[in-house]
Amino acid sequence: MTGDAAAKGSADAGSAADAAGRERASFLPDLLIAALERGRDLPAVHLDGRVLTGAEVRDETSRYAQAYAKLGLGIGSPTAMISANRPEVLFTMGANMLTGCRSSALHPLGSVDDHAYILADAEIETLVFDPAFARRATELARRVPSLVNLLSLGPAEVGTDLTALAAGFAPRPLVAPRVGPEDVSGITYTGGTTGRPKGVMSTYRGAATMTQIQLAEWEWPAETRFLVCTPLSHAGAAFFVPVLLRGGSLVVLPRFDPAAVLDAIEKYRITATMLVPTMLYHLLDHPKLAAADTSSLQTVFYGASAMSPTRLAEAIERFGPVFFQFYGQSECPMTISVLRRGEHDVNRPDRLASCGRPVPWVRVALLDDDGAEVADGEPGEVCVRGPLLSAGYWRRPDQTAELFEHGWLHTGDIARRDADGFLTIVDRKKDMVVTGGFNIFPKEVEDVLCSHPAIAAAAVIGVPDDTWGEAVKAVVTLRPGAEVSAAELTALVRERKGPHHAPKSVDVVDQLPMSPVGKPDKKALRARYWSDGERRVH
């Protein structure tokens, strides 16, 4: 399926369903309308010193949607947004949904080069921006030929003030756009940690399925006060509709800061939040944690990258049995499998290393390179079928065909399945190190390294080696005040995993390179050790 074909509107599909006497399916815009109406008299969002009810968010969203229409934006209009967390982000996101725009998000921590690449690749015409990013918006407009509309979330020296324009409209009832299940609702760009970022085409069907899975499979507190400390334009947005549909509210911080997170948990009696592993490590290592009251927490959702079993056990000891893991990726968002709170057994490191069991909304198989299922205990690529899947990669038909080879979506993750059906990701297929003819999965080495009490985080890569082809290199950060020798860490891995897994070298650094979404950036890490700039390792 090409990007052009997938992005075409399908209003005819909705008309055909109506003609046959069937109401079309509910998609994310419908769920947003229901959520705001259901919670119209309840606090919905605590953000930037304001408390907004569902009705207030609903009315502001209506105004922004009308402003979009006034500017000529509608179904399929390619838009993007860059902003810190502020109320207008929610209103703009709602306007995107209700007008049927095809949206993309720019991470606030991304570089101008990254943003220009995304805007040009996705052929974005309209950029919504926080006034703090006015200079960035000006530069992007200069560099990206397709970008013709600049809309600011408040007064700025460039573009149209979207907030002022929206204020001129009276609220109207919210109406969902006439779209079909396979229409593209947004393009999300991969992290680019293994190559040039690719645009993943999200469909209305996939986004609705993701929300259904969240509501049906995730373990939510009875009274949900959800803390958002990630960008609303990215991970934070995925919790907006589910929380409101459950009658809960969101407390939104401007950014992740360990001390601010601990203060917010105590102040608002937060019952749930979502953290990527790096964030949890920062909380565990923060001096304020010892005196912080986190007793209100009932569920901490975590995902996005692999968690160290040792650090997870430490977190369970400190916060209690509140952790719930979700495993997914942009191509199959959020929930391929889950590890429930009661399945986190601190006496079983192998279980803490697991990403749980597949949810019943998708089919999951572990396949070899020929598309055949592997036996339990053997490594195979996690492959998925079902309504959760994306439509492929924007304007990359060859890579889309590769993504769906053998009729399955290929995640690129290698896992083993145990007799109880639990999956354990051993690593990314492309991150595997081949040393002396042996296949080494870096995550297995990283888990051993992180079991040492001195290690805060670890990343393992392959580096060119004249003798071994590739040599295993470990790059680690230390916990505050800790010390450890390279020889001690190498000996630990050799004892636990064998000589082929033992790093040939260990570097201690102050900080691992991270992608904007908090994943270790192994592409950047490898670049430090390639003197000729040519990739000669897997």
Side-chain angles (χ1 to χ4, degrees), residues 166-465:
F169 293 95
R172 293 178 179 175
L174 303 184
V175 179
R178 303 292 299 174
V179 294
E182 303 307 318
D183 286 350
V184 174
S185 59
I187 299 180
T188 302
Y189 277 77
T190 61
T193 54
T194 58
R196 218 41 173 146
K198 299 183 290 293
V200 178
M201 296 184 289
S202 302
T203 67
Y204 284 94
R205 167 189 45 77
T209 301
M210 182 187 77
T211 305
Q212 290 171 335
I213 294 174
Q214 286 179 290
L215 291 170
E217 299 295 324
W218 291 31
E219 295 178 302
W220 298 89
E223 186 177 351
T224 305
R225 292 183 295 277
F226 190 93
L227 179 65
V228 175
C229 51
T230 55
L232 280 171
S233 56
H234 287 68
F239 294 90
F240 183 55
V241 171
V243 167
L244 294 191
L245 280 174
R246 291 186 52 83
S249 62
L250 295 97
V251 175
V252 183
L253 297 181
R255 67 192 66 83
F256 174 77
D257 174 80
V261 167
L262 293 172
D263 287 342
I265 291 172
E266 188 168 338
K267 177 180 178 180
Y268 294 98
R269 303 301 295 163
I270 295 297
T271 60
T273 189
M274 192 282 286
L275 302 171
V276 301
T278 304
M279 292 176 177
L280 183 59
Y281 301 163
H282 283 307
L283 286 177
L284 289 172
D285 295 336
H286 198 275
K288 198 170 185 175
L289 177 63
D293 179 5
T294 61
S295 60
S296 61
L297 279 177
Q298 298 178 42
T299 306
V300 174
F301 301 106
Y302 69 96
S305 63
M307 178 83 79
S308 158
T310 300
R311 303 234 68 185
L312 181 54
E314 179 185 345
I316 293 171
E317 181 179 356
R318 172 58 183 83
F319 294 100
V322 300
F323 290 89
F324 179 101
Q325 181 185 171
F326 59 92
Y327 160 63
Q329 57 181 200
S330 298
E331 293 86 342
C332 192
M334 298 291 279
T335 312
I336 296 172
S337 65
V338 298
L339 187 68
R340 299 177 179 277
R341 290 178 302 205
E343 294 169 342
H344 286 69
D345 188 345
V346 293
N347 297 314
R348 292 189 57 180
D350 62 315
R351 186 53 50 81
L352 293 185
S354 169
C355 63
R357 289 180 283 197
V359 297
W361 302 73
V362 298
R363 288 185 58 200
V364 176
L366 303 186
L367 305 183
D368 62 20
D369 289 340
D370 297 321
E373 291 201 45
V374 301
D376 284 357
E378 295 297 317
E381 184 177 6
V382 179
C383 296
V384 188
R385 287 175 173 165
L388 185 62
L389 309 188
S390 73
Y393 297 122
W394 172 254
R395 295 196 181 284
R396 287 173 172 79
D398 292 342
Q399 289 174 297
T400 295
E402 182 180 348
L403 177 69
F404 290 107
E405 189 178 12
H406 306 303
W408 294 81
L409 182 141
H410 291 251
T411 66
D413 290 325
I414 303 298
R416 295 186 176 95
R417 181 178 51 236
D418 67 18
D420 296 320
F422 287 86
L423 304 178
T424 299
I425 307 293
V426 293
D427 225 309
R428 292 290 294 168
K429 190 173 185 179
K430 293 181 179 179
D431 283 344
M432 185 176 70
V433 178
V434 182
T435 179
F438 288 87
N439 295 339
I440 306 298
F441 294 110
K443 183 178 180 298
E444 296 182 318
V445 180
E446 291 161 0
D447 286 349
V448 174
L449 291 169
C450 287
S451 70
H452 193 284
I455 300 301
V460 170
I461 59 172
V463 295
D465 186 272

Side-chain angles (χ1 to χ4, degrees), residues 449 452 455 476 484-494 503 506 508:
L449 291 169
H452 193 284
I455 300 301
V476 301
V484 66
S485 68
E488 184 178 350
L489 294 175
T490 300
L492 177 66
V493 177
R494 181 180 292 109
V506 179
V508 178

